[in-house]
Amino acid sequence: MNGQPFRNPSGGLIDRARPLSFTFNGRRHAGYAGDTLASALLANGVRLVARSFKYHRPRGIVGAGAEEPNALVQLREGAATEPDTRATQVELFDGLVAKSQNCWPSVGFDLGALAGLLASALPAGFYYKTFMWPASWWPTYEHHIRRIAGMGEAPRDRDPDRYDYRHAHCDVLVVGGGPAGLAAALAAGRTGARVILVDEGAALGGSLLGEQAVIDGRPALAWVEETVGALAAMPDVLLLRRATAFAYNDHDMLAIVERRFDHMASPPPFETRQRLWLVRAERVVLATGAIERPIVFAENDRPGVMLVSAARAYANRYAVRAGSRAVVFTNNDSAYGAALDLARAGIEVAAMVDVRPDGGEAARRARAAGIRVLAAHGVLAAHGGRSVEAVSVAPIDGTGRAAGRAERIDCDLVCLSGGWNPAIHLFSQSGGRARYEPAIAAFVPGTSVQAERSVGAARGSFALADALAEGLAAGATGAAEAGFGDGAVPPAPGIDRAVEAPMRPLWAVHGVGSKRAKRFVDFQNDVTAADIALAVREGYRSVEHVKRYTTLGMGTDQGKLGNIQGLAILSGLVGADIPAVGTTTFRPPYTPVAFGAIIGHATGADFDPVRRTPMYDWHVRRGAPFVNTGLWKRAQVFPRPGETVLETIGREARAVRTSVGFVDVSTLGKIDIQGGDAAELLDRLYINNWKKLAVGKARYGIMLREDGMVFDDGTTTRLAEDHFFMTTTTANAVRVMSMLEYVHQVHWPELEVHMTSVSEQWAGVAIAGPNARNVLSRLTSDIDVGNEALPYMGCAEGTVAGLPARVFRISFSGEMAYEVNVPSDYGAAIMDAIMAAGEPFDIIPYGTEALNVLRIEKGHFVVGPEADGRTTPDDLGLSGMVSKTKDFIGKRSLSRPALTDPERKQLVGLLTVDPGERIPRGAQIVEDPSHPLPCPMVGQVTSTCFSPNLGRSIALALVKRGRSRYGERLYAASPVAGRTVEVTVVHHVFIDPKGERLRV
Amino acid sequence: MVKYSIFSLLRNAVSNHENWPEAWRSPTPKPAYDVVIIGGGGHGLATAYYLAKEHGITNVAVIEKGYLGGGNTGRNTTIVRSNYILEANAHFYEFSLKLWEGLSADLNFNVMLSQRGVLNLAHTDADIDAHSRRGNAMRLNGIDAEFLNREQVKAFVPLLDCSENARYPIMGGLLQRRGGTARHDAVAWGYARAADARGVDIIQNCAVTGIRREGRRVVGVETERGFIAAKKVGIAVAGNSGVVAGMAGLRLPIETHVLQALVSEPVKPVLDCVVTSGAVHFYISQSDKGELVMGGDLDFCNSYAQRGNFPAIEHVIRSAVALFPSFSRLRMLRLWAGIMDMSMDGSPIISKTPLDNFYVNCGWCYGGFKATPGSGWMFAYTIAKDEPHPINAPLSLDRYISGRVYDEKGQGPTPWAH
Amino acid sequence: MLLIRCPHCGPRNQDEFAYGGDATVKRPADPASASDSEWHAYIYVRDNPRGPHEELWHHAAGCRRWIRVRRDTLSHRILATGPVHGPLAEEEGR
């Protein structure tokens, strides 16, 4: 620990009663509550904090906020580490640990700086011109490039913190808690409107926190305190501190990240680290302030070169001297007030270098205060290595060229003000186009396209009086537009207005001397003025080309400091005005946002919601593992101790064929359809006929898409003349329901029919096997389950196990089967009852694996592998179902040439020629496996299993002209499995092709 | 054309790089060309290059309304692969990948093809079947593919969450080692420079405002800089295909949708290949600069806005963190959007049209970037010969009439579902 | 995120809706007599304007009604909304 040599003994907004200790690059330092990491480092005299991306040049702190391009650190350690963190926005906390990144072995002595020696061979875009020979070496080159690039280290472990997520609505959303934003919130809040005020800082006040302004004759901070107090007392005003509005989306939806506990070592127990707010606002006030810009000159990246506003904020807000002897370089008035603040803070201001011939009143006051003012001068170059030691200053002409002898001025701090850029990022994100304002040489918001207004410095009104007046007006008007108040603007507080001399645009000083001297435009990416010139020379003249070729503005600061300089330099090179050269559109986010914050709690197992059937717990109790089917969790198998999965599947599938088993089928989609035209609707949807289906009977149906491809299948039962109960596949339950609603509401609204999804109202269980009737008959007294009363494809309503139930005599397994539906709440009860009733028959529950084996044995196609969205009814051998007498969705497509092509793939079965072999999954079917590549394929295995009932491997496949190939030998080739198996083409129904078992 | 190499770099270093020539000229448009290509993205520039190189047709203009490569060429996630199951797509994309493999040398411009592998994750048994089926089709088509089991996936991509309690546990993956990424801007610039060197006129900042027809013949284009006659006109304008084809009175089976992508702040290497997941609709890689580059689904409604909305971004990031839990503390740095020409079967169109002398190249859906060399080559062939090459013959417009579509995902004519 | 005014429920977030595409597509009254080319136009060819677009949305997480929306595909501004078959009401604002 040391004594914070650059901290003044008094002043600032820090809490000297709360000293804090932190570690930077392994050294312990002291700071105070209220510090940022940057201010604390400066207080301790730490000026070299980072190395640049490309040349590994030593870098210091340039800004005091979101604009910081250099001072990126690796914050925290282990799983909580955060790379690329701006020291200027890290609130200091006790025990904070940070280190410099992208340097080895240390930030002071970085071997990466050797890149600087090669710099002359590494101009912008050098990588496009080399590393091409020999071609085979590129992966090696690239390997090393990747290691040298990157910046911080990503954590390797799961994030220890949690995040949450809120939606909110408000009448007026105010972004920015500086003078304009506070005024807007106050004016809007007084009307009773719901107001949300968002500011990225821990304290409200914005620029006032770093300056020494006066409002109503008192220190401005007194006005801030009073205003914040008034806002806090309003019940419908929400103040969000440490919150960045980072995205302005369509229809006035803003995304805001609130860093709730980043200012602590870790969040308190049960608290989330950050919270995402999605706010839909009736009106938005953008009071996002402005960002000061530097001026380009030779070696302008030396540590100690800083924005004037930053040095001023460090002095006023943190009582930190960013150096001992400063040269202030400006092209506008704002730096003069700052220079006086610096002097008051004990920094010797060696010179004010003003590019303007006459700094006006401000310059006169500075001179009066004893500061040397060099008018019509510029800084040509900075000198020094790991810290700036001096600058060369000379008279300059209007274009920024040296026009006289240079003078060397010793200094350890160079403060720059090249004017101010309104922070129009959110305005630009809202879809608005920026307009160039020559008076301030900056882009300002143009015409609004969404319900926002920019006020204060964000629209180029830099005077405090204007900021307050515009804020009040925007707040009152916005509230009125949202229905609150009459729009009357409250009176503005009194401000002394200084007479300002106009700024004079100057982007870069063109010195004399070494051409090798680097003049940085983008600090983080090491883009120099020469790089931009090279891009233009090579024909990359569009601003986007310059950006992409040189990487200007592509750093984590997104060019907040450098973009406009780059644009201006480009405009000079191509001889066009800045607005003609263009601006770049700002894209979200304003500042980088942690992924964790954007997703809230939707991570890990909560990535997507989970759907569980009513029998889920019942399955859990029986030790079933689950598989994902869409969002559903379905029981896979019901293993017995000592069984392998394959043994379990075999046992379950055999039990169904030999005695009885039961399976949870609750995931099937279920749609209740009622109305006089219900049968008509089904007729138009399904490929087969429905009007003559008798009440109490079920029918299997297939639906197509309008392009003729099989979409879904299922059984639908007529419960009454005007009442049907449709089932769909699990996968398509949602889509079929939407399709029904679509065809009814869009195509045929005249049909009198209503439909509703009842998927979750009914629990479904299928009892299948030769003993299914015996089991069911023990469970019901009011339903005759005999083959005559309830034949195959019959339906009955009554009670099962004392529960209200519908019983459908339908089968997926090919065995005699009953599907029992009971209200969802009875899902577990019906399982227990069936289990008990089936005990004499050794009934077993079975899972999705046995279900799949049984259906493959039976040759049932399913949506997915067989009906893959590219198969017609005829491909699946179902052309007999297709009605010739009516239209239905997709029918017209079936007669298109490609759909009647005799070469189409058709559903067949496959058996291995050697019964001991297994058909590889996902195999392709070839006629000649020794054919050189590319090897023609005639089909593919769609589903395969070991059939426990046939004792051999079987498969379903889609094969060209498959139905004409029965008996033909082909090969199931799986190069990825390294196996090719000879197979015989057979009919796709392996068990009970006549369907007798169903009907017994 | 000055040859780029380490030697020319060093030579120019001596003169402070003040003597590099223009990569391409900025010519005034001539009154007439043999071929006018509308669209100065990767596809249009590649088409011009191959017209000159393969067919000796050098009296060609590429007309671009903005700057070169400013559309989807500069707005994608830079993935290059040929892991398709349907033959028409497999053969086309493999042809394209082979061109990629020689592209830096061919163009004398380092497009930084980085064949670090594309791994498509399997999350269910059905995925394993589907990925095996696809891998087998690839292998039989002569394309490299391997199926990795869970342990192999874990070893290949150490930071992936391969635990059982993941919402969608990883059960394996299909790896195409020859897949990877390339530097997107370099592709446009490399083609532009090489085409220019062969005499092609590249005309930027010149919007086409109309297409002039005489009966069924297209005879030239109206532009902001006047009429330019052309014996043949080809369009390669991605999301604007419907608008530009409409100037010739043609309606295309295309819808325009917005697709977003984003990058994280740069970090040292943590991901050495491209990882994709069909189940969660997500793809991610790490650029040479260190940024994690990722994308997912469309925004699901027609858009020309080049700006998307938040739900799609949330889904992308949710997917990223679900698969890579340690990425949670990394930050989103930049997001952007491109407008996709979504075709009705998810497969591209490189085709003659019902109009004479008028050719379209569109329908790239998510696949345009990796197609760039192949697309340009095939489109050049189709324009030069007035008939498609056997590889792009299946990708013609009339397939929608016959029904012989290539619906890779089996989603039907719902373009936002591909 | 879009804010879509459902004519039955009022303004709702986009994530309550599913997109349904071009609302001007009309199913041929007699598909059997449609030519391959006409049928192709119905299935595959959609309006795809750069500007105002008539489109269907399904209020899937709401009233389950399909609705018609006129939205500018360039600005994402919603110009009018209404039922599938019926007059659209002009929107002000967003």
Side-chain angles (χ1 to χ4, degrees):
Chain A
M1 289 256 215
N2 55 35
Q4 304 187 46
F6 288 84
R7 179 89 67 187
N8 283 339
S10 64
L13 304 177
I14 47 172
D15 184 353
R16 290 173 199 264
R18 287 176 55 210
L20 305 174
S21 157
F22 70 102
T23 306
F24 184 68
N25 285 335
R27 278 195 65 178
R28 284 187 69 190
H29 299 283
Y32 293 110
D35 261 328
T36 63
L37 176 58
S39 68
L41 287 169
L42 289 170
N44 286 278
V46 179
R47 321 186 70 186
L48 168 57
V49 295
R51 289 278 172 167
S52 67
F53 185 76
K54 186 173 167 188
Y55 301 129
H56 290 247
R57 308 245 311 185
R59 291 288 165 81
I61 294 159
V62 169
E67 72 283 3
E68 177 60 41
N70 280 344
L72 306 183
V73 300
Q74 184 90 33
L75 183 66
R76 304 173 199 265
E77 297 174 296
T81 194
E82 292 164 68
D84 308 340
T85 306
R86 281 180 305 283
T88 52
Q89 291 193 299
V90 174
E91 287 179 57
L92 198 67
F93 55 84
D94 205 40
L96 180 149
V97 178
K99 62 179 184 186
S100 300
Q101 48 187 37
N102 203 36
C103 53
W104 188 87
S106 75
V107 70
F109 178 74
D110 176 15
L111 285 177
L114 291 172
L117 300 178
L118 301 172
S120 64
L122 308 177
F126 71 95
Y127 29 75
Y128 299 124
K129 293 176 177 150
T130 184
F131 302 128
M132 286 182 281
W133 186 89
S136 60
W137 284 17
W138 167 243
T140 312
Y141 294 134
E142 191 185 30
H143 176 75
H144 291 289
I145 291 170
R146 287 171 79 88
R147 290 169 59 101
I148 293 166
M151 291 176 72
E153 294 279 351
R156 298 282 167 157
D157 295 310
R158 200 173 281 270
D159 191 340
D161 293 329
R162 298 180 307 132
Y163 302 83
D164 67 329
Y165 197 106
R166 278 199 190 168
H167 285 269
H169 292 260
C170 68
D171 299 305
V172 181
L173 172 67
V174 181
V175 183
L182 286 171
L186 188 67
R190 279 182 181 160
T191 67
R194 294 169 305 167
V195 174
I196 298 178
L197 173 68
V198 180
D199 190 87
E200 63 182 346
L204 296 172
S207 59
L208 298 176
L209 296 167
E211 297 173 7
Q212 298 197 354
V214 173
I215 296 178
D216 270 342
R218 294 180 298 158
L221 291 177
W223 177 84
V224 170
E225 195 177 328
E226 191 178 287
T227 306
V228 172
L231 289 169
M234 295 178 187
D236 282 329
V237 173
L238 175 65
L239 303 178
L240 288 179
R241 296 177 178 86
R242 301 184 170 107
T244 304
F246 64 89
Y248 197 132
N249 294 304
D250 282 334
H251 300 188
D252 303 297
M253 166 77 89
L254 280 85
I256 296 160
V257 60
E258 181 190 4
R259 290 170 296 275
R260 303 182 67 216
F261 294 107
D262 278 358
H263 58 292
M264 293 166 59
S266 58
F270 311 112
E271 288 289 358
T272 53
R273 175 187 171 215
Q274 298 183 349
R275 173 177 292 157
L276 184 82
W277 292 78
L278 288 180
V279 177
R280 178 87 68 186
E282 285 295 320
R283 290 294 180 273
V284 179
V285 177
L286 299 176
T288 45
I291 298 172
E292 199 167 25
R293 49 197 193 207
I295 300 172
V296 177
F297 51 85
E299 311 292 315
N300 56 336
D301 65 326
R302 295 300 176 200
V305 177
M306 186 180 275
L307 297 174
V308 170
S309 55
R312 183 184 209 181
Y314 289 121
N316 288 332
R317 181 171 178 182
Y318 304 103
V320 169
R321 301 183 307 281
S324 302
R325 190 162 198 267
V327 169
V328 178
F329 182 22
T330 186
N331 67 351
N332 68 90
D333 272 9
S334 69
Y336 283 91
L340 294 176
D341 286 356
L342 297 185
R344 268 195 291 273
I347 300 172
E348 181 192 347
V349 179
M352 285 293 298
V353 181
D354 193 331
V355 305
R356 300 172 297 180
D358 181 5
E361 178 60 30
R364 274 187 287 283
R365 258 189 286 151
R367 286 200 178 96
I371 294 175
R372 181 183 177 209
V373 177
L374 295 168
H377 272 61
V379 172
L380 305 186
H383 307 288
R386 289 172 202 167
S387 173
V388 65
E389 291 160 6
V391 290
S392 297
V393 173
I396 55 169
D397 64 15
T399 65
R401 291 196 179 278
R405 225 172 60 84
E407 173 189 357
R408 185 181 165 110
I409 303 176
D410 288 341
C411 60
D412 62 355
L413 178 64
V414 182
C415 301
L416 308 177
S417 183
W420 295 78
N421 285 332
I424 58 170
H425 302 71
L426 291 177
F427 168 78
S428 176
Q429 292 174 21
S430 78
R433 274 181 174 281
R435 175 176 66 76
Y436 190 73
E437 176 51 60
I440 56 169
F443 286 96
V444 297
T447 310
S448 290
V449 299
Q450 295 206 43
E452 59 47 63
R453 283 183 176 79
S454 295
V455 294
R459 71 180 286 263
S461 303
F462 298 136
L464 180 56
D466 293 337
L468 291 171
E470 289 175 13
L472 290 168
T477 314
E481 287 166 352
F484 292 84
D486 57 5
V489 181
I495 311 277
D496 283 342
R497 218 178 244 279
V499 181
E500 286 213 23
M503 62 93 69
R504 174 173 186 163
L506 176 75
W507 310 101
V509 180
H510 307 273
V512 283
S514 172
K515 286 189 168 175
R516 302 249 183 238
K518 297 215 170 295
R519 299 153 70 233
F520 288 95
V521 180
D522 180 317
F523 290 119
Q524 190 177 115
N525 278 347
D526 282 339
V527 179
T528 65
D531 288 328
I532 295 172
L534 174 64
V536 170
R537 189 174 304 129
E538 293 195 83
Y540 301 91
R541 297 203 178 104
S542 138
V543 62
E544 282 293 333
H545 279 167
V546 171
K547 274 181 65 178
R548 289 160 182 269
Y549 192 65
T550 65
T551 72
L552 172 73
M554 307 295 266
T556 64
D557 57 325
Q558 297 256 51
K560 289 189 179 70
L561 295 187
N563 272 0
I564 185 90
Q565 270 82 354
L567 194 60
I569 291 169
L570 173 63
S571 111
L573 289 164
V574 300
D577 290 344
I578 287 177
V581 172
T583 179
T584 51
T585 316
F586 293 101
R587 301 186 187 292
Y590 173 62
T591 49
V593 181
F595 289 152
I598 289 169
I599 63 175
H601 55 78
T603 183
D606 295 331
F607 168 57
D608 260 351
V610 170
R611 295 184 79 181
R612 298 185 177 92
T613 74
M615 291 80 146
Y616 181 83
D617 292 336
W618 193 92
H619 303 323
V620 171
R621 285 199 295 276
R622 271 155 194 79
F626 290 85
V627 291
N628 287 313
T629 309
L631 296 178
W632 289 102
K633 295 282 183 189
R634 300 188 72 181
Q636 184 185 19
V637 283
F638 292 86
R640 287 179 180 165
E643 274 181 348
T644 65
V645 174
L646 211 61
E647 285 165 354
T648 308
I649 297 168
R651 174 177 54 75
E652 291 177 3
R654 273 194 305 276
V656 173
R657 297 258 183 254
T658 56
S659 180
V660 63
F662 65 117
V663 61
D664 176 2
V665 294
S666 305
T667 59
L668 291 179
K670 305 172 205 66
I671 301 171
D672 199 85
I673 303 170
Q674 299 190 37
D677 290 323
E680 176 64 31
L681 181 74
L682 295 180
D683 244 19
R684 296 183 188 190
L685 274 170
Y686 280 125
I687 64 173
N688 46 346
N689 291 309
W690 289 82
K691 287 198 184 132
K692 289 182 181 158
L693 180 66
V695 171
K697 294 290 182 194
R699 181 167 284 172
Y700 173 70
I702 289 178
M703 289 178 204
L704 310 184
R705 296 190 310 239
E706 199 72 289
D707 68 348
M709 300 302 161
V710 172
F711 169 51
D712 202 61
D713 71 333
T715 54
T716 291
T717 306
R718 191 166 210 165
L719 298 174
E721 197 58 37
D722 58 355
H723 186 188
F724 289 81
F725 176 74
M726 173 185 282
T727 64
T728 76
T729 63
T730 299
N732 278 333
V734 171
R735 267 175 282 194
V736 171
M737 182 67 197
S738 293
M739 183 190 188
L740 256 61
E741 289 165 330
Y742 177 84
V743 297
H744 176 225
Q745 296 176 29
V746 179
H747 289 335
W748 304 306
E750 69 279 8
L751 294 184
E752 188 206 278
V753 59
H754 295 270
M755 60 212 69
T756 190
S757 168
V758 292
S759 296
E760 302 203 337
Q761 273 59 46
W762 296 96
V765 52
I767 309 170
N771 280 318
R773 184 177 300 130
N774 293 331
V775 174
L776 186 58
S777 64
R778 289 165 57 103
L779 287 167
T780 179
S781 52
D782 57 352
I783 300 176
D784 182 348
V785 298
N787 204 23
E788 276 168 31
L790 188 53
Y792 180 58
M793 287 294 179
C795 166
E797 293 188 76
T799 57
V800 174
L803 306 169
R806 287 174 181 166
V807 178
F808 306 90
R809 176 94 188 265
I810 55 180
S811 174
F812 192 47
S813 59
E815 297 300 318
M816 175 220 285
Y818 298 86
E819 206 170 295
V820 181
N821 279 9
V822 296
S824 286
D825 287 351
Y826 301 123
I830 191 74
M831 295 297 274
D832 280 335
I834 293 169
M835 192 76 193
E839 207 185 337
F841 310 101
D842 295 326
I843 195 168
I844 52 106
Y846 62 99
T848 53
E849 295 286 351
L851 186 78
N852 195 40
V853 165
L854 292 164
R855 74 97 191 165
I856 295 174
E857 289 178 340
K858 183 63 186 171
H860 274 308
F861 80 87
V862 292
V863 169
E866 285 86 26
D868 60 3
R870 298 185 287 261
T871 44
T872 66
D874 184 62
D875 297 344
L876 299 171
L878 297 166
S879 52
M881 275 179 72
V882 178
S883 170
K884 309 229 174 352
T885 57
K886 57 150 193 168
D887 184 38
F888 54 85
I889 293 286
K891 183 178 190 182
R892 173 63 185 81
S893 284
L894 295 175
S895 57
R896 295 187 296 161
L899 281 71
T900 54
D901 188 335
E903 288 291 309
R904 288 189 71 85
K905 291 177 184 174
Q906 296 169 333
L907 183 65
V908 294
L910 300 177
L911 290 174
T912 53
V913 171
D914 173 355
E917 289 227 67
R918 300 276 172 100
I919 299 169
R921 59 200 304 187
Q924 294 287 340
I925 308 299
V926 299
E927 290 172 334
D928 173 12
S930 60
H931 190 287
L933 301 180
C935 173
M937 290 164 264
V938 296
Q940 77 260 19
V941 170
T942 53
S943 300
T944 181
C945 70
F946 179 79
S947 163
N949 295 297
L950 297 171
R952 62 186 298 174
S953 174
I954 60 173
L956 299 178
L958 287 165
V959 177
K960 276 184 190 170
R961 291 181 283 101
R963 291 196 291 269
S964 69
R965 293 184 192 249
Y966 292 148
E968 195 175 316
R969 287 191 178 185
L970 296 169
Y971 294 85
S974 178
V976 297
R979 290 201 299 132
T980 296
V981 176
E982 193 174 10
V983 292
T984 308
V985 180
V986 296
H987 190 269
H988 61 276
V989 181
F990 294 94
I991 286 208
D992 188 26
K994 291 186 180 152
E996 288 161 346
R997 290 165 176 244
L998 300 165
R999 295 183 167 81
V1000 292
Chain B
M1 191 167 89
V2 169
K3 193 168 160 62
Y4 289 162
S5 71
I6 184 68
F7 305 109
S8 62
L9 258 181
L10 292 172
R11 207 163 42 243
N12 277 282
V14 177
S15 53
N16 290 308
H17 301 284
E18 284 175 0
N19 299 319
W20 286 107
E22 283 187 327
W24 52 81
R25 299 163 294 129
S26 298
T28 306
K30 294 190 262 184
Y33 289 93
D34 290 342
V35 180
V36 163
I37 303 293
I38 306 174
H43 290 229
L45 293 164
T47 304
Y49 172 70
Y50 291 116
L51 276 171
K53 183 187 178 211
E54 302 289 332
H55 307 282
I57 302 173
T58 58
N59 186 25
V60 175
V62 176
I63 301 182
E64 165 57 46
K65 73 172 174 181
Y67 58 96
L68 297 184
N72 294 343
T73 304
R75 294 170 185 271
N76 56 75
T77 48
T78 78
I79 298 170
V80 172
R81 59 185 172 88
S82 62
N83 54 355
Y84 285 78
I85 188 166
L86 299 181
E87 297 220 358
N89 284 327
H91 291 311
F92 170 75
Y93 283 105
E94 177 61 10
F95 179 85
S96 192
L97 182 54
K98 290 208 171 102
L99 287 177
W100 273 113
E101 289 173 327
L103 198 58
S104 291
D106 190 24
L107 301 179
N108 179 232
F109 201 101
N110 191 352
V111 299
M112 301 184 206
L113 175 69
S114 180
Q115 293 180 291
R116 15 191 13 97
V118 171
L119 178 67
N120 196 194
L121 298 174
H123 298 276
T124 61
D125 243 25
D127 278 355
I128 296 178
D129 271 13
H131 287 19
S132 303
R133 201 174 294 131
R134 183 202 297 220
N136 288 328
M138 289 165 65
R139 289 280 288 272
L140 290 163
N141 275 323
I143 303 168
D144 74 300
E146 297 163 50
F147 191 84
L148 305 188
N149 63 28
R150 185 202 302 241
E151 287 66 39
Q152 291 167 317
V153 167
K154 176 84 193 154
F156 196 65
V157 190
L159 291 182
L160 261 181
D161 181 5
C162 289
S163 65
E164 293 279 356
N165 58 3
R167 178 65 184 85
Y168 297 112
I170 291 164
M171 300 175 72
L174 183 68
L175 173 64
Q176 184 183 20
R177 288 191 192 271
R178 286 167 59 243
T181 59
R183 172 77 192 136
H184 55 4
D185 293 326
V187 179
W189 300 339
Y191 273 120
R193 174 168 165 268
D196 175 89
R198 289 176 184 270
V200 171
D201 280 358
I202 295 166
I203 297 155
Q204 299 185 73
N205 299 308
C206 178
V208 168
T209 55
I211 293 174
R212 193 180 288 180
R213 274 171 63 175
E214 284 174 8
R216 296 176 48 81
R217 280 179 56 227
V218 166
V219 297
V221 296
E222 314 281 356
T223 78
E224 289 175 333
R225 293 163 76 173
F227 175 72
I228 300 174
K231 291 182 185 151
K232 295 179 177 181
V233 174
I235 69 169
V237 294
N240 287 304
S241 296
V243 173
V244 176
M247 294 176 185
L250 211 60
R251 275 163 71 85
L252 295 176
I254 295 286
E255 273 187 21
T256 298
H257 286 259
V258 65
L259 178 64
Q260 302 184 77
L262 63 100
V263 295
S264 73
E265 293 180 312
V267 289
K268 295 290 178 192
V270 287
L271 176 60
D272 205 35
C273 65
V274 180
V275 174
T276 75
S277 167
V280 297
H281 300 278
F282 174 69
Y283 33 94
I284 184 169
S285 65
Q286 187 173 18
S287 73
D288 285 352
K289 194 179 174 189
E291 297 166 340
L292 293 163
V293 185
M294 61 190 86
D297 269 328
L298 299 171
D299 266 29
F300 299 128
C301 58
N302 290 43
S303 173
Y304 285 79
Q306 289 189 337
R307 53 185 259 125
N309 275 294
F310 213 61
I313 290 302
E314 284 177 70
H315 186 266
V316 167
I317 295 174
R318 256 168 52 197
S319 307
V321 178
L323 294 178
F324 297 92
S326 64
F327 291 176
S328 166
R329 295 179 86 88
L330 300 183
R331 305 187 195 94
M332 172 169 75
L333 169 60
R334 183 168 67 243
L335 65 89
W336 65 91
I339 56 170
M340 305 290 121
D341 37 337
M342 302 302 296
S343 71
M344 292 290 154
D345 56 355
S347 294
I349 298 164
I350 306 175
S351 180
K352 298 175 65 172
T353 67
L355 302 176
D356 295 339
N357 313 330
F358 189 64
Y359 307 83
V360 296
N361 172 324
C362 61
W364 292 103
C365 302
Y366 295 70
F369 179 68
K370 61 183 168 287
T372 306
S375 163
W377 200 98
M378 292 295 163
F379 200 35
Y381 185 102
T382 305
I383 293 169
K385 309 267 186 192
D386 195 36
E387 65 178 18
H389 184 275
I391 287 181
N392 71 308
L395 304 176
S396 66
L397 262 180
D398 53 18
R399 71 179 188 265
Y400 297 101
I401 296 177
S402 70
R404 194 162 278 108
V405 296
Y406 297 92
D407 191 347
E408 189 82 21
K409 285 174 91 180
Q411 292 290 340
T414 308
W416 56 90
H418 291 297
Chain C
M1 183 147 45
L2 306 182
L3 187 69
I4 300 171
R5 196 180 61 79
C6 171
H8 313 290
C9 308
R12 293 290 190 274
N13 269 347
Q14 177 184 355
D15 53 11
E16 290 187 15
F17 296 84
Y19 184 61
D22 184 2
T24 65
V25 172
K26 286 276 175 292
R27 193 170 196 270
D30 180 14
S33 65
S35 69
D36 275 357
S37 176
E38 285 164 355
W39 188 248
H40 143 269
Y42 161 60
I43 304 180
Y44 295 117
V45 182
R46 315 277 167 79
D47 277 355
N48 186 27
R50 189 173 190 270
H53 182 230
E54 300 256 332
E55 59 199 22
L56 295 173
W57 288 80
H58 187 207
H59 197 184
C63 63
R64 303 289 304 177
R65 257 26 118 85
W66 287 83
I67 63 167
R68 204 148 53 97
V69 174
R70 188 183 303 137
R71 185 180 56 95
D72 188 312
T73 60
L74 193 56
S75 67
H76 292 169
R77 201 181 175 91
I78 291 179
L79 308 170
T81 54
V84 174
H85 304 282
L88 296 187
E90 300 281 322
E91 293 273 318
E92 50 167 280
R94 320 213 195 236

